[in-house]
Amino acid sequence: MDLELVTPLSGGQAKGPPVTNIMFLKTHKTASSTVLNILYRFAETHNLSVALPAGLHLHLGYPRLFLARYVEGMEPQQHFNIMCNHLRFNLPEVQKVMPNNTFYFSILRNPVFQLESSFIYYKTYAPAFLRAPSLDAFLASPRTFYNDSRLLKNVYAKNNMWFDFGFDPNAPRKESYVRARIAEVERRFQLVLIAEHLDESLVLLRRRLRWALDDVVAFRINSRSARSVTRLAPKTRERARSWCALDWRLYEHFNRTLWGQLHAELGPRRLRGEVERLRARRRELATLCLQDGGAPKNHTQIRDPRLRPYQSGRADILGYNLRPGLDNQTRRVCERLVMPELQYMARLYALQFPEKPRKDIPFLGA
């Protein structure tokens, strides 16, 4: 066995045990489901506690500001190892749940493409999107469709990532305000990943957490088929950047920050090597685990109903078929790699709270 796959990095970075107290702010439509799968797998493998939604809930109070009471099994003076489900960030309440030495990180995506994905995914939920015939039409006249007073229903329609960090998505774009909020994120979050550079981001995350290579290898989870992705004209992209200007400032800043950190800590040559090792291991696992060369499948083509992803709005969410004939141990490893987030959350909930009723995942007929 290649020991690098199962042992943490050591050369050129701080030594020590793997980091196990982690808070991931899971932003929306940013490849965050793939990161969630990484954290769920690490928690299950290492028998760590996860701050899961209480009762039958699927999110930690979202879109309301997070409160500690939204966590199942939360008691005074009790802490969890990992927190990674959707929530709206509220630091004082998060600190009630997580230990003082927690590593905080999040992920951002180009707001143009994040908004396009949100429009498709939340088309039948957000009132602003429901009334708009297309994203082009919405961005040509957003105030025709978007109402500030319906904020909690329309959180996906304007500066959604800014909102997830706990800020006001309708705030005026005053320079002093924007800089203060970005500085606030920088003080609390030790790392912000960028979806467009996910592999490079995961290389840096692995270094910061002192994890093994296999801990951060992942397949894309909750991705859409090409036919449900809208190609945007240059004018539409420009309008999206203007409409989501607060998200754009956040993204621009942390995109620069990520690349500054990568070059300072690794340098271009070593970074290329680390990224290629990550991708090579992903290809190996795809060959081992997945049918048809690892090509994602439409949910109607997925044989195992437990591995079918939730479908939302007009999105065609893809999943995977496992290779037949896998031995039991290999199958368990491969199932974890492809398990959709709602099913994985329900699995961890059952393991962590065996005395409580199972999470009901309605679209599975559970």
Side-chain angles (χ1 to χ4, degrees):
M1 178 178 289
D2 183 348
L3 290 180
E4 185 185 12
L5 305 179
V6 293
T7 56
L9 287 165
S10 58
Q13 73 171 44
K15 296 181 180 180
V19 175
T20 56
N21 294 327
I22 300 160
M23 192 279 163
F24 172 57
L25 178 59
K26 187 180 188 295
T27 51
H28 289 78
K29 316 316 301 170
T30 57
S32 62
S33 294
T34 300
V35 180
L36 183 84
N37 177 269
I38 290 171
L39 294 170
Y40 276 172
R41 282 165 30 217
F42 189 84
E44 184 176 9
T45 300
H46 296 275
N47 196 29
L48 302 176
S49 59
V50 181
L52 296 169
L56 299 179
H57 297 287
L58 303 179
H59 300 310
L60 292 168
Y62 196 87
R64 297 179 298 276
L65 277 170
F66 173 74
L67 298 175
R69 63 181 173 86
Y70 297 151
V71 174
E72 184 66 76
M74 185 63 198
E75 297 177 2
Q77 309 307 315
Q78 178 184 0
H79 290 128
F80 291 81
N81 296 118
I82 291 180
M83 187 178 208
C84 55
N85 286 76
H86 277 309
L87 59 82
R88 188 179 183 206
F89 194 66
N90 184 8
L91 180 60
E93 291 291 312
V94 169
Q95 289 175 321
K96 294 178 183 179
V97 178
M98 301 303 295
N100 291 335
N101 65 344
T102 293
F103 179 90
Y104 287 76
F105 79 107
S106 188
I107 187 167
L108 298 171
R109 182 183 183 185
N110 185 316
V112 174
F113 305 113
Q114 192 272 345
L115 183 64
E116 182 276 328
S117 182
S118 292
F119 185 84
I120 299 297
Y121 197 84
Y122 298 109
K123 182 71 175 76
T124 57
Y125 175 82
F129 292 160
L130 191 61
R131 296 171 51 222
S134 67
L135 184 57
D136 281 331
F138 174 79
L139 288 170
S141 181
R143 288 293 173 186
T144 303
F145 308 101
Y146 181 87
N147 186 333
D148 290 5
S149 66
R150 302 195 69 184
L151 175 61
L152 293 188
K153 280 283 191 179
N154 276 328
V155 296
Y156 308 108
K158 186 181 183 184
N159 293 312
N160 185 212
M161 296 181 289
W162 190 264
F163 177 89
D164 287 349
F165 277 90
F167 306 142
D168 179 4
N170 296 313
R173 287 180 271 173
K174 189 176 179 182
E175 186 65 19
S176 59
Y177 165 77
V178 174
R179 289 188 178 185
R181 298 291 78 76
I182 289 175
E184 193 176 321
V185 174
E186 210 153 35
R187 282 192 299 272
R188 173 46 53 190
F189 289 83
Q190 288 100 310
L191 181 61
V192 177
L193 315 183
I194 297 295
E196 284 77 15
H197 309 293
L198 185 59
D199 287 345
E200 292 85 354
S201 295
L202 291 176
V203 165
L204 191 54
L205 179 68
R206 180 193 173 203
R207 288 177 61 82
R208 298 289 176 83
L209 298 181
R210 301 188 292 274
W211 284 8
L213 179 60
D214 269 13
D215 292 331
V216 298
V217 174
F219 302 139
R220 290 180 66 195
I221 302 293
N222 213 34
S223 64
R224 290 179 291 158
S225 66
R227 68 180 180 84
S228 64
V229 177
T230 305
R231 293 179 63 87
L232 302 178
K235 187 65 174 177
T236 301
R237 295 185 185 196
E238 182 183 327
R239 287 169 171 166
R241 281 192 292 269
S242 177
W243 177 246
C244 294
L246 298 173
D247 272 359
W248 182 253
R249 288 292 302 275
L250 199 64
Y251 173 79
E252 274 194 316
H253 177 87
F254 285 103
N255 188 33
R256 285 194 303 269
T257 300
L258 174 72
W259 283 103
Q261 293 167 331
L262 285 167
H263 286 142
E265 295 185 32
L266 288 158
R269 184 175 178 180
R270 186 172 179 188
L271 174 60
R272 285 193 298 272
E274 295 289 346
V275 168
E276 182 47 43
R277 276 188 282 277
L278 178 71
R279 291 172 178 170
R281 182 55 176 162
R282 184 186 296 129
R283 290 191 294 270
E284 289 176 1
L285 288 170
T287 300
L288 174 69
C289 294
L290 305 180
Q291 197 170 40
D292 300 328
K297 300 293 184 183
N298 178 279
H299 71 104
T300 62
Q301 300 172 304
I302 298 172
R303 294 187 306 271
D304 187 341
R306 298 171 303 162
L307 300 181
R308 289 175 189 154
Y310 174 66
Q311 304 296 307
S312 177
R314 293 180 179 174
D316 177 23
I317 305 299
L318 304 176
Y320 300 93
N321 279 322
L322 297 182
R323 284 180 56 221
L326 298 173
D327 63 76
N328 289 339
Q329 182 178 354
T330 303
R331 185 174 180 83
R332 282 194 295 271
V333 170
C334 294
E335 276 185 350
R336 292 176 184 178
L337 281 161
V338 302
M339 190 172 293
E341 62 180 280
L342 292 180
Q343 289 94 310
Y344 212 149
M345 179 187 62
R347 171 185 172 84
L348 292 181
Y349 187 89
L351 290 172
Q352 203 162 300
F353 304 103
E355 74 286 358
K356 293 186 179 292
R358 299 292 180 92
K359 292 275 188 187
D360 180 26
I361 311 295
F363 72 95
L364 292 178

